[in-house]
Amino acid sequence: HPDVAQSYNNIGIVYREKSDNEKALEYYSKSLTIQLNTLDKNHHDVAASYNNIGLVHKKKGDNGKALEYYTKSLSIRLSTLGENHPDVAQSYNNIGTVYRAKGDNEKAKEYHTKSLAIKHKS
């Protein structure tokens, strides 16, 4: 049930805030599995789960995995929320931080600029 997924997500947040990345990933993954089985694959909760998993991978220094999950989240957010939603800005910002960490300042600037443009509009 989606409510169970939300509970797993909340537990994942607690572990992420405690910097227990492995436990956070465990609970976020449980949440995502339930969501993918009970919700539309483009549901905003699925996008949030992809984003949360990306956050943990970023904290772990796994920029490749972080970028993979942030990109999945962005794709859903763009298709369901449109180009000018604050959650889309968040996704662009998160992707920008990955590129910055990878030393690709041009790509980082591109994504941070997209994020900023949305924030100015909203």
Side-chain angles (χ1 to χ4, degrees):
H1 191 276
D3 289 346
V4 175
Q6 185 61 49
S7 293
Y8 280 135
N9 180 73
N10 292 342
I11 294 169
I13 291 169
V14 171
Y15 280 116
R16 189 181 83 219
E17 289 176 351
K18 292 173 59 175
S19 296
D20 189 338
N21 296 324
E22 295 311 314
K23 281 288 197 187
L25 278 177
E26 176 186 337
Y27 282 93
Y28 285 148
S29 295
K30 287 179 180 185
S31 178
L32 178 61
T33 297
I34 293 169
Q35 290 168 342
L36 289 172
N37 287 317
T38 60
L39 303 172
D40 183 81
K41 66 181 173 112
N42 289 321
H43 193 276
H44 62 89
D45 286 348
V46 173
S49 286
Y50 284 138
N51 184 72
N52 288 342
I53 292 170
L55 288 170
V56 175
H57 284 298
K58 177 75 173 69
K59 266 181 97 169
K60 291 175 60 175
D62 190 343
N63 292 317
K65 282 281 194 192
L67 187 58
E68 174 187 340
Y69 283 96
Y70 285 155
T71 301
K72 288 178 181 185
S73 180
L74 173 62
S75 177
I76 293 168
R77 287 173 170 176
L78 281 170
S79 70
T80 59
L81 302 173
E83 294 181 6
N84 294 312
H85 194 278
D87 288 353
V88 172
Q90 178 194 44
S91 288
Y92 282 138
N93 185 66
N94 289 346
I95 291 170
T97 64
V98 172
Y99 281 117
R100 194 171 66 236
K102 293 172 76 170
D104 189 339
N105 291 327
E106 285 304 311
K107 279 285 212 190
K109 181 179 154 190
E110 174 188 336
Y111 281 92
H112 287 308
T113 301
K114 288 179 180 184
S115 177
L116 180 61
I118 294 168
K119 290 175 182 177
H120 277 300
K121 289 178 185 175
S122 62

